[in-house]
Each structure stands twice: as structure tokens, then as C-alpha cells.
Amino acid sequence: MSAGLCPVSAGSLPVRTRAAAAATRAVNGLSRRARAGHGTVAGGRVGLALDPLLLERLAAGRPTALVSGTNGKTTTTRLLAVAIEGALGPAAINATGSNMPAGHVTALAAAPPGAPAVLEVDEGYLPRLIATLGPEVVVLLNLSRDQLDRTSEVRMVASKWRRALAASPATVPVANADDPLVVWAASGAAKPVWVGAGLSWREDAVGCPSCEGRIGFAAGEDGGWACRCGFSRPPLDVRIDGDDVVLAGGRRLRVALALPGRFNRANAVMAAAAAAAMGAGWEDAVRRVGEVDEVAGRFAVVGVAGCAARLMLAKNPAGWRELLDLVCPGERPVVVGINARVADGRDPSWLWDVPFERLRGRTVVATGERCRDLAVRLRYAEVPHRTVRDEVAAVRAAWMAGRGAAAAGPGARRAPAPVAASSAASSEGQVDFIGNYTAFTDLMARATRTGA
Amino acid sequence: MSLEIVVVHPDLLGTYGDGGNGVVLAQRARWRGIAAELVDATSGEALPTGDLYCLGGGEDAAQTASAERLRDEGALERAVGRGAVVLAVCAGYQILGTSFAGADGRAISGVGLLDVRTVKGNGRRAVGELLAEPADGRLPQLTGFENHGGLTIRGPDVAPLAEVAAGVGNGDGTEGAVFGRVIGTYLHGPALARNPALADLLLSWATGRRLEPLDDAEEAALREERIAAVRERRLRHRVRYELGSSS
Ligand SMILES: [Zn+2]
């Protein structure tokens, strides 16, 4: 650890900052007890009103990493906090969804002085946080379109990241080299760490951010890319090779993950690379991230009205594509849930950018407040489905349908299919649920209460 | 003979899910036994010859790039001259006009297939449910989601697609524009998923056939819900207004 990062005592903070931090904790405590919220944002707002410099002051003297990107922020933030725990101790980390300054203040006010901070940051807020906090490390995952009725254009976001990083030379970006927009943002920095983390959604990345020409991608997910102007994928410092991670010097480590999916492997490797940049050992970081088996309810198997459901969250076409890759091929019934509240984006037209055709042949139930939009999408994808607006009832319906004929006679259980006999024991009666933000959080809240 | 449905520049005009319009047209043709080919025509290649063209919404820089490409190429005008059908949404609608406002407010020349021009609006973006009463009385109400900053001004030669019942549309109480077999609109959703009758109108123009009805129960349920949501919101607004003014 460098000298500038030694822990400071609370006594070195100005009185106003100490008072504001105390108010943050008090309001959050009250709001938790009153069940008015999760107690993550209200206190932070009060604290920032009392001391506008609260965030900088609370962050001063801590090893700090910021994590941003369209998809994987929450998971990677958690994985990075776990990865550095051995080297730096428990980290201050913001609760899921509270990825703007009030949420960051809340996280830091609750942490002991000098504890490291790993903060998930909204893409739009990242430049401001880089400027005010001057973090050691910034993890840049990917950039693609998110909520359509927001007006931030992904290219503009990349340019703002680029300017902020160029103005913060001590900050090390740990950047996904497979995403041209991320590379554009990070290549202005002094010493980026390039990770070949993959990119399955390229629709937002074909236009060259350097010359407006077209970027060509090599065949296959792990291929490089280049534009005629010379802008191309930089040489990798870290790459993924099957189950292994390979470092620039040729060192190879096995990454055994409890979390499923290619994208979680990418998140884990990004987290381990960031941890290494913060001083953790690669081996220790990789071992620790491997043990994480759920993040804020994602991928958790929960009880819903007596059925076992694996909960997954996808907020945009790129995220949906990743999760459809994960559940297909497979044979579990799939419940897809869509809401269109402010937090989800109010226009669900992006459903037509999701290849739901892949669900053909599966038992599919459409649910959520916008289940009718989803039903029409599935009709044109020629995916037979049922539409059940209530999410719990939808999981129940899918589970019953998945048991097929066995549901006719009570107690007449039957293995789902002979081909997957070995995995059937663990997945029998399980339903995969994929929802967008509030559809996911609503079902998670109800599942916890059910406690089945 | 197969119906060629071309989705124009999905790499530039694919930001708002409007590529779904092509899927809806192709499926509704196939379900009636009409062979249909769906072609994604990216901006890097020449625009293929087609019977139906769909343009969607996109970001400012992409919209300008697409307009320049289409103008230079001239293939879309030639296709319309041959009788091709065009549905253009949002940025695509603006591109078909004579000019539109670029990111810096400067007027950029459009393709000129519709006698409309689009200028920068006065501040607030129009974002929300759009409900409109079609000028063509054979079509039912049009429902969709609008998301744009421009005001579109019609010239004397072009008729509006509909009168706005809720939302903003062109900005003068009308929504969209029709000229011959070219339709421009601000409806996302995508438009044809939420308005299958409009999809069938375009298909009947392209095939010259009367089309037998399909079982559109799921589309009907979606339409009913979205139209009710608009009414409910207006009712809430009115109640708030009346409560506010009485106090
Ligand atoms: Zn280039």
C-alpha cells in the first residue's frame, strides 16, 4: 500500500463531515426501522445536504475502486470486494441499485475509517466520481444501450469516461478490451490493464468511436477487432482460456466458479484483475471469487409458493442474450417477467431485440405488469406460452406444467427426461425465472416472505 | 415469388426495437401462406431491392449518417418509384422528410420522400404513450410509445397519418404523415406489434391482395391494456387538476 493510502482516523475529518456522516447513519437507521426504504439513499441525501463534500471526505485515505458498465456492475462490485478481502480487509460496498452519490455516501458512512471501498457507479455518474475521488482503480465492464426512454447515448458516455480518465492519471482502468467503446474510454489513461472479457452484444459497438467508420470483428466471441483507421483491440494483459485465466507473462490459473454463465466468468476475471491492481495476489483473488454463489439474490434458488425457482435478472438486450445463452439448451420451464416502471425504463420495445426464438420447445410462461407485450413478442417468435400476470402464480403454473403428466396424479413424481438423468436430481421441479429489474426484485421480495 | 422485407440500417436505426416491425410483417405474411424474406440491410452494404422497407429510430449521429448514406445512394427513392411500401419510425420518419435538426441544431437534408421537415422542439422531449385517431377511418386507433425531441411540420402535399388523442406526435395535434405508399410515424412499441391492422394495410399494399384475418387475440389484449393505461393517466391528471384548483 502506498503512503497516501494509510488509514486516517475519524478524528481527522472536519466536524461538519463527522456530523453529516452521523446524520447519514441516523436517517438510514430510522428509514430501515420505519420500513420506508432499504435505508440506503435517504440518509445519504441528508448527509450530502449537510456537507456537500461529504463523499470526497469520507473516501479520502481509503483504497478505492469504482465499478461501472451497462451489465455486470452489481456482481463485479461484490466479487471485487470479496477478492480484496484477504489483502485489504472487508470493504465498504454500496447496496444494489444505490449506485449514485447518496448510495455511495451511505456505504462509506457505515464503514470504519481506512477500510477499502468498492463502489458500483451509474455510467452517467462515473466521470464525476473519478474527478472527485481520484480512485486507484476503475473497472470498465461494457457499454451498450440500456433503458430506451433515457436519453444518454452510449457513445457520449464513452467520450465522457475518456475525458475523466485522461484527467486522472493516477487511476488505473481495468478495462474490457473486447468492447471498442470501453477501449476508446480507457486508452487515454496512463496505464490501463486490458482484459479480454468478451462481448456477446455488438450492435452498439460497430461504429468506430475514433473515426465513425465500421469496426470489423474476427469470427467467434474471443476474436479481436479493428477499424481501418488503426483503432483496434489492444494487446491483452489478461485473457480467458476455457476455465483458466492467462496473464501476460504466461502464468495460468484455474478459475472454478460457483456462479453460472460465461458472463459471470468474465465478471470474476475483471474483479480478480482489479484486485491484483489493488495489491491482492492473483491466486488468493481467484480462490475467493470462486466461492461466491449468489449476488443480491441473482442466481439464488428460492422458494416461490412451494416451488423452487432460480432467479435471474436481465435489464437490457445484452443481459437477456447472456441469460438465454445460460438457460438454453436446457429443459426447465422458463418464466419471463417484464415490468416497465421508471427503474425499468417505461418503453419495453427492446423486447424485440432479444432473441426469444431460442426458447422454442420449452415450457414458457410470460408474466409481470407488461406480460402482454411479452406475449405478443413470444407469438411472433413462435414460442408457445401461457400468460399469467401475477409472478408467483406464473412460477407455480410453470412448475406444474414442467411436471407434465405427473401433475395429474398426486404424488406421482417423474424425472423430467431420461437424457439429463444425472443433473435431474438437482434440477427436478426447478423453474428458471428471468425478470427485468422490478420484476426480479418484486419476486425476490415475495419469495423471501414465502420462505418455502 | 417471395415478399422481400428490408430493415434499413439496423446498425444505425436499431436503437428502439423498431426492427420488430420487419419481424411482424414477415410473420403475418408467412402465416397466410405468403413467402417472405426478411433482410437486415446494414449501412455498410448497398440497399437491396425490396417490396417493403422499414426504418427505425436511432441516435442523432447515427441518424445523420444513415440519411447521408440513403441520399447518396438514391436506392430508396428508386424503390418507391417502383411502388415499394415504406414504414419509417421516429428518426427514420425524420430522415424521409426534406430536412431534420442534427445534434447541434443545424438542418440536415433528408431523403425527401415525404414533404415534412423536422425542427428542434422547445426543450422537453416527448416521451410517453401516444394514442392517435387515424385519418383513414378503416384503421382502428393507433397506439405506441413516442420518444423524440423534434417538431415535425407538414407541407401542403402530405396528409397526417392520424389526429393525436393523447401524447405529442408531430407537435401540432397531428401524428405522422402519409404520401402514396410511404408512411412516417413517431410510434414505437414496435408500431406494427401494437397495431396489426396497420401491418396488414402495408402488406395489402405490397401484395395487392385482400388478406384474410388472423387470430390477433394477444395483440388485442395488449392494445386494450395500453389504451386503458392512457385513459387512466388522463383521468388521474384531471382529478389532480380539479382537486388542485378547488383548494
Ligand atoms: Zn476507426
Side-chain angles (χ1 to χ4, degrees):
Chain A
M1 219 187 291
S2 70
L5 295 172
C6 64
V8 289
S9 71
S12 67
L13 291 172
V15 175
R16 182 183 193 178
T17 301
R18 269 183 285 157
T24 299
R25 288 189 290 268
V27 172
N28 282 338
L30 282 174
S31 114
R32 265 194 301 272
R33 280 191 290 280
R35 296 182 182 277
H38 300 293
T40 54
V41 177
R45 290 210 185 104
V46 170
L48 281 168
L50 290 172
D51 180 0
L53 296 177
L54 183 58
L55 184 55
E56 294 90 304
R57 287 177 173 155
L58 285 174
R62 303 175 188 276
T64 300
L66 308 179
V67 178
S68 198
T70 309
N71 283 311
K73 287 189 287 288
T74 302
T75 300
T76 307
T77 299
R78 169 107 170 86
L79 291 171
L80 177 51
V82 169
I84 60 170
E85 197 168 339
L88 302 174
I93 173 172
N94 48 331
T96 172
S98 312
N99 60 11
M100 294 188 227
H104 301 139
V105 161
T106 291
L108 295 178
V118 180
L119 302 176
E120 170 187 338
V121 184
D122 177 86
E123 300 92 286
Y125 276 90
L126 185 66
R128 203 205 289 181
L129 254 77
I130 291 173
T132 52
L133 303 186
E136 265 185 290
V137 166
V138 174
V139 181
L140 306 176
L141 296 166
N142 47 63
L143 266 180
S144 69
R145 69 189 73 158
D146 194 10
Q147 297 160 13
L148 297 184
D149 59 347
R150 288 189 180 174
T151 54
S152 69
E153 302 187 353
V154 290
R155 255 147 243 284
M156 205 186 296
V157 172
S159 294
K160 288 179 180 164
W161 284 8
R162 183 178 167 89
R163 281 197 293 276
L165 285 166
S168 183
T171 298
V172 174
V174 174
N176 181 359
D178 288 327
D179 187 331
L181 288 174
V182 165
V183 172
W184 174 246
S187 51
K191 42 185 178 183
V193 174
W194 299 117
V195 182
L199 186 70
S200 63
W201 173 264
R202 289 168 181 166
E203 275 76 348
D204 292 314
V206 290
C208 174
S210 181
C211 77
E212 307 264 308
R214 287 179 61 79
I215 286 178
F217 285 89
E221 280 208 355
D222 302 325
W225 50 264
C227 177
R228 279 200 311 214
C229 71
F231 180 59
S232 61
R233 184 171 79 167
L236 299 180
D237 297 300
V238 179
R239 69 185 171 88
I240 298 170
D241 179 18
D243 289 343
D244 295 348
V245 58
V246 184
L247 309 185
R251 188 172 167 211
R252 180 178 280 270
L253 293 102
R254 174 60 45 97
V255 182
L257 291 182
L259 288 174
R262 188 209 65 82
F263 51 98
N264 277 328
R265 180 161 297 275
N267 293 337
V269 170
M270 291 291 284
M278 294 177 82
W282 264 98
E283 215 152 295
D284 184 49
V286 163
R287 185 181 54 76
R288 286 171 186 272
V289 299
E291 287 164 5
V292 175
D293 61 358
E294 68 162 275
V295 175
R298 295 154 168 83
F299 310 105
V301 177
V302 298
V304 177
C307 324
R310 179 166 66 156
L311 302 190
M312 287 168 279
L313 168 64
K315 294 189 261 196
N316 43 49
W320 277 89
R321 200 166 282 208
E322 302 273 22
L323 289 182
L324 289 176
D325 280 345
L326 178 68
V327 303
C328 303
E331 47 194 36
R332 294 178 190 171
V334 179
V335 180
V336 283
I338 296 295
N339 289 349
R341 299 182 203 162
V342 172
D344 304 305
R346 287 170 47 219
D347 175 16
S349 297
W350 55 265
L351 287 174
W352 292 77
D353 288 330
V354 178
F356 284 108
E357 288 78 3
R358 288 192 208 167
L359 289 175
R360 282 177 195 160
R362 300 286 286 274
T363 298
V364 176
V365 179
T367 188
E369 291 160 0
R370 299 302 290 269
C371 57
R372 288 178 173 179
D373 293 80
L374 196 46
V376 170
R377 172 69 189 99
L378 292 169
R379 161 169 152 82
Y380 283 94
E382 297 185 325
V383 175
H385 57 275
R386 290 183 55 193
T387 306
V388 181
R389 182 173 299 259
D390 180 80
E391 294 181 331
V392 170
V395 170
R396 182 94 195 150
W399 187 70
M400 295 301 285
R403 293 192 352 158
R413 292 171 65 106
R414 204 182 60 169
V419 281
S422 61
S423 65
S426 59
S427 66
E428 189 188 354
Q430 222 180 75
V431 169
D432 278 335
F433 174 91
I434 310 176
N436 69 342
Y437 190 66
T438 67
F440 170 87
T441 51
D442 278 8
L443 183 61
M444 192 170 73
R446 293 175 71 187
T448 316
R449 277 204 293 276
T450 308
Chain B
M1 187 210 95
S2 171
L3 201 60
E4 294 289 323
I5 299 166
V6 180
V7 175
V8 179
H9 300 175
D11 52 329
L12 298 172
L13 303 176
T15 312
Y16 294 89
D18 300 312
N21 288 324
V23 175
V24 171
L25 288 169
Q27 293 290 59
R28 296 184 74 82
R30 289 172 191 147
W31 291 338
R32 290 168 164 122
I34 303 167
E37 186 101 31
L38 184 59
V39 184
D40 276 346
T42 54
S43 60
E45 58 197 294
L47 197 67
T49 309
D51 303 298
L52 272 151
Y53 292 83
C54 298
L55 290 79
E59 301 177 340
D60 288 344
Q63 178 182 14
T64 302
S66 174
E68 281 168 3
R69 178 94 181 109
L70 290 173
R71 243 180 21 231
D72 292 350
E73 210 178 2
L76 192 60
E77 294 97 302
R78 287 195 294 278
V80 170
R82 283 194 307 269
V85 175
V86 182
L87 174 72
V89 179
C90 202
Y93 169 32
Q94 298 178 359
I95 286 174
L96 291 200
T98 51
S99 72
F100 60 91
D104 54 1
R106 190 169 50 95
I108 292 164
S109 297
V111 176
L113 283 170
L114 289 171
D115 183 17
V116 301
R117 64 189 174 90
T118 302
V119 296
K120 257 205 155 37
N122 33 17
R124 272 189 73 162
R125 249 178 116 76
V127 181
E129 291 285 335
L130 177 55
L131 185 63
E133 212 57 69
D136 180 340
R138 288 166 300 178
L139 281 176
Q141 277 187 314
L142 298 172
T143 161
F145 193 95
E146 64 181 327
N147 186 351
H148 59 100
L151 294 174
T152 298
I153 302 154
R154 272 179 301 113
D157 291 340
V158 68
L161 175 64
E163 300 289 322
V164 171
V168 176
N170 292 331
D172 64 351
T174 68
E175 150 54 20
V178 192
F179 183 76
R181 293 173 157 198
V182 179
I183 291 183
T185 177
Y186 277 113
L187 296 164
H188 297 294
L192 301 185
R194 280 170 62 159
N195 302 283
L198 183 59
D200 287 352
L201 178 67
L202 299 175
L203 283 173
S204 67
W205 284 352
T207 59
R209 283 211 234 165
R210 275 197 52 186
L211 302 166
E212 63 269 35
L214 297 171
D215 174 9
D216 290 332
E218 291 190 301
E219 289 88 337
L222 171 61
R223 289 174 56 78
E224 189 188 345
E225 178 194 87
R226 296 329 303 157
I227 292 169
V230 169
R231 292 224 180 88
E232 202 178 295
R233 203 183 53 210
R234 296 170 93 199
L235 199 63
R236 268 206 315 275
H237 278 247
R238 193 170 338 142
V239 167
R240 202 176 300 150
Y241 173 75
E242 280 164 7
L243 287 175
S245 57
S246 67
S247 62

